[in-house]
Amino acid sequence: NGQEHFDDTSTNKKSPARKILQSFTPRLGEGRIFIGFRTSQTTGLAAHLAAPFVPTVEREAMDLQDPTLRMFNLELLEFAGILMRLTLEHGLSSLGVSYAKGAAERAALDE
């Protein structure tokens, strides 16, 4: 059964599936900014951010020194933040609707 296999691998910290999952799902505060590749800059979230930022000449980070490029990169960061916030709010709203739908069933179980 596929579900049993999934359960076995999800509890094994050294399983190949877990290693693959951890490679693109960072822990809280370990999210990275990608400019076509990983940079040393972090998002401070449990999420990576890949966008067409303008990098430094060394291509190691977003360019925040040049005034024009700084404005572009900061606007792009702000837009990404708004998009992440809207995504979070939509997910929580959907969760709230699902929870409300099950209220009657939970009340029946409590009786």
Side-chain angles (χ1 to χ4, degrees):
N1 173 335
Q3 183 62 34
E4 291 170 358
H5 177 71
F6 177 77
D7 290 341
D8 291 342
T9 59
S10 65
T11 58
N12 181 358
K13 292 189 178 191
K14 295 185 179 188
S15 75
R18 188 174 183 96
K19 287 181 183 178
I20 291 169
L21 183 64
Q22 287 178 335
S23 72
F24 61 88
T25 55
R27 292 186 300 172
L28 186 61
E30 294 182 355
R32 296 284 181 172
I33 293 178
F34 286 75
I35 307 174
F37 53 88
R38 190 173 108 163
T39 67
S40 60
Q41 293 172 311
T42 61
T43 62
L45 304 169
H48 294 309
L49 175 59
F53 296 108
V54 179
T56 59
V57 174
E58 298 83 16
R59 300 190 53 81
E60 295 177 351
M62 290 184 301
D63 192 338
L64 298 174
Q65 299 302 316
D66 180 272
T68 304
L69 298 179
R70 176 183 176 84
M71 184 184 305
F72 176 81
N73 285 331
L74 290 178
E75 290 289 327
L76 197 52
L77 275 174
E78 182 178 357
F79 177 75
I82 292 168
L83 191 59
M84 288 178 165
R85 177 62 188 254
L86 290 172
T87 303
L88 174 67
E89 288 182 10
H90 175 73
L92 290 176
S93 175
S94 296
L95 184 63
V97 168
S98 296
Y99 186 79
K101 285 181 182 178
E105 294 172 11
R106 285 191 305 280
L109 290 173
D110 288 341
E111 292 177 1

